[in-house]
Amino acid sequence: MSDHLSMSDHLSMSDHLSPVTNRIPANAQRVLVLQGGGALGSYQAGAYQALRHFDLEPDWVAGISIGAVNAAIIAGNEGITRLKRLKEFWEMVSAPVPWTPISNGDRSRELFNSTSAALIATFGVPGFFIPRIPPAPLWPPGSPQALSYYDTEPLKKTLERLVDFDRINDLKTRLSVGAVGVTSGNFRYFDNFEFRKLGKRIGPEHIMASGALPPGFPSVVIDGEHYWDGGIASNTPLDYVLETETDRDLLIFQVDLFSARGELPTSLLDAAEREKDIRFSSRTRMNTDKDKQIHNIRRAVHDLIGKLPDHLKNDPSVEILCKAVQKSTVTVVHLIYRSKNYETSSKDYDFSRVAMAEHWQAGLRDVHLSMRRKDWLEQPQSGETMVAYDLTGDAAASASKASE
């Protein structure tokens, strides 16, 4: 995982910076949207490294759970330091299992991954979480220690060390992380741009709240409200980004860690993995199609209002419609990590070094494959106001519009 590319397909330098950046609409805001997925999050770090290679640094990073951690490290650093801090984080959390499997066969790898995940579940992850001693069931009911198997205080110290929260609160890069209220059940985004208007600051607690997945991790208290992992309600921040920004054109790189599509399970382990994939994919394709439909309707309303005669433009109903209009165009480049045959339902807490490196490399590869399609970075054409693209099949597959 050096700064130099080590791609197996040896992409040519003709795919480098200028041809890509020249295609981006001049006013487009670059947004990086990061789904939750625990140990799979190094896929997002690899994707970010490749985007940086193509001079596609984000103006706005939005994340859930581990996506919020990656987002905070990116937004809370600048330049090459972003990549250094991401590498430092992922090398630290994969340190407990530095060895590699004896064999590369699927059965051997499945056993290795399951063993690695079991070690993590037993002993925790350095700089991230540690098991409670005594265990949660032995604490008095109602005490904070009785509500989770692990203590995430190490993550707070890690975030304070790797993330410059002054930079985040100085609005150098927009940051949005989602969490859900434990008692209210309401979804909430902690957004540094919105917080500035309220005189508030983003801190480690907001990132930790976004990743507080029960019953493993404890809730995090913010302004008197307990918060859990945003992935419980919605594991992707795409909707929030589209609802929040309606004026500027958007070029969104959506990096998901769970695929909604998959094969029919053939065993209990397969069924457990498939259920987790479906649950945490958060109906991504359906939501993207819905967002495209709503976006096009709002743009049509904007165009229709412009055609109204003057005596109707001040009508109260038109004033209401004006608040919902869409003036911008949106391009979504969708990257989805696709599991290997030997990965099981424990893949999101298999923090082994070999798995981390594989996921990172997959993120690098998928961005490079996407960048071969330079037309994906153009402004939507032929009357479309929102388009979405993603890679289909394996690494060698062709690209297609994600409108299925």
Side-chain angles (χ1 to χ4, degrees), residues 236-247:
T236 180
L238 180 63
D239 285 351
Y240 176 78
V241 170
L242 296 177
E243 291 168 4
T244 303
E245 180 55 71
T246 59
D247 294 328

Side-chain angles (χ1 to χ4, degrees), residues 220-241:
V220 176
V221 180
I222 298 173
D223 297 333
E225 172 73 84
H226 287 257
Y227 287 94
W228 272 337
D229 191 306
I232 294 174
S234 175
N235 201 30
T236 180
L238 180 63
D239 285 351
Y240 176 78
V241 170

Side-chain angles (χ1 to χ4, degrees), residues 41-310:
S42 58
Y43 175 81
Q44 297 170 341
Y48 167 76
Q49 180 179 355
L51 289 172
R52 175 178 171 77
H53 170 76
F54 287 108
D55 199 24
L56 290 168
E57 290 280 7
D59 306 304
W60 183 358
V61 194
I64 301 288
S65 197
I66 197 65
V69 174
N70 284 330
I73 294 173
I74 293 169
N77 289 282
E78 59 183 341
I80 191 62
T81 306
R82 290 175 161 178
L83 187 56
K84 289 180 179 178
R85 294 289 179 264
L86 282 171
K87 288 181 177 179
E88 185 176 348
F89 174 78
W90 284 102
E91 288 173 355
M92 175 184 65
V93 298
S94 62
V97 189
W99 54 87
T100 58
I102 298 174
S103 168
N104 288 327
D106 283 358
R107 179 57 184 154
S108 175
R109 282 302 310 273
E110 183 177 326
L111 180 60
F112 174 84
N113 292 353
S114 298
T115 302
S116 299
L119 287 171
I120 293 300
T122 304
F123 299 107
V125 171
F128 199 158
F129 59 90
I130 54 176
R132 292 199 182 280
I133 300 175
L138 299 182
W139 289 88
S143 65
Q145 297 88 342
L147 301 177
S148 66
Y149 292 113
Y150 302 98
D151 181 354
T152 54
E153 185 62 23
L155 178 58
K156 183 175 186 292
K157 296 177 181 178
T158 295
L159 290 169
E160 290 173 339
R161 181 170 59 85
L162 297 182
V163 178
D164 182 351
F165 285 95
D166 287 337
R167 186 181 193 279
I168 289 174
N169 291 296
D170 286 342
L171 311 186
K172 302 296 185 181
T173 301
R174 188 166 189 171
L175 174 68
S176 310
V177 298
V180 62
V182 176
T183 58
S184 68
N186 293 331
F187 201 95
R188 180 181 178 187
Y189 275 93
F190 306 116
D191 185 307
N192 59 344
F193 275 45
E194 298 301 321
F195 269 35
R196 171 63 71 87
K197 299 174 186 176
L198 301 173
K200 296 183 177 182
R201 291 174 59 85
I202 293 286
E205 65 275 14
H206 299 97
I207 313 305
M208 295 173 68
S210 182
L213 184 64
F217 299 159
S219 63
V220 176
V221 180
I222 298 173
D223 297 333
E225 172 73 84
H226 287 257
Y227 287 94
W228 272 337
D229 191 306
I232 294 174
S234 175
N235 201 30
T236 180
L238 180 63
D239 285 351
Y240 176 78
V241 170
L242 296 177
E243 291 168 4
T244 303
E245 180 55 71
T246 59
D247 294 328
R248 288 189 63 180
D249 293 337
L250 299 175
L251 173 59
I252 301 173
F253 294 92
Q254 181 179 352
V255 189
D256 288 354
L257 302 178
F258 294 96
S259 175
R261 294 180 176 177
E263 297 181 359
L264 187 68
T266 58
S267 68
L268 285 175
L269 288 177
D270 289 347
E273 181 188 11
R274 187 85 279 271
E275 182 274 334
K276 183 176 284 188
D277 284 345
I278 293 171
R279 174 157 44 102
F280 287 118
S281 68
S282 292
R283 300 175 297 176
T284 299
R285 289 180 182 273
M286 187 193 77
N287 288 338
T288 301
D289 288 343
K290 178 202 70 177
D291 289 331
K292 287 170 63 177
Q293 183 181 30
I294 293 174
H295 194 280
N296 288 332
I297 290 173
R298 293 170 72 177
R299 182 61 180 262
V301 170
H302 172 265
D303 294 342
L304 183 60
I305 290 174
K307 298 174 183 178
L308 291 174
D310 291 340

Side-chain angles (χ1 to χ4, degrees), residues 5-13 15 54 361-362 364-370 372 391 394-397:
L5 297 176
S6 56
M7 309 298 295
S8 59
D9 47 1
H10 300 292
L11 299 170
S12 72
M13 292 307 292
D15 284 335
F54 287 108
Q361 189 73 4
L364 273 169
R365 178 200 65 215
D366 286 354
V367 168
H368 276 267
L369 288 170
S370 296
R372 289 176 171 178
L391 294 172
D394 59 21

Side-chain angles (χ1 to χ4, degrees), residues 308-347:
L308 291 174
D310 291 340
H311 71 279
L312 289 178
K313 289 184 177 179
N314 293 324
D315 186 281
S317 296
V318 175
E319 292 181 12
I320 294 174
L321 290 174
C322 283
K323 296 178 181 178
V325 300
Q326 189 79 37
K327 303 175 184 177
S328 63
T329 61
V330 176
T331 300
V332 179
V333 178
H334 194 188
L335 305 169
I336 310 173
Y337 175 70
R338 290 175 169 83
S339 299
K340 311 221 172 20
N341 291 337
Y342 48 77
E343 291 185 307
T344 66
S345 61
S346 65
K347 62 189 177 185

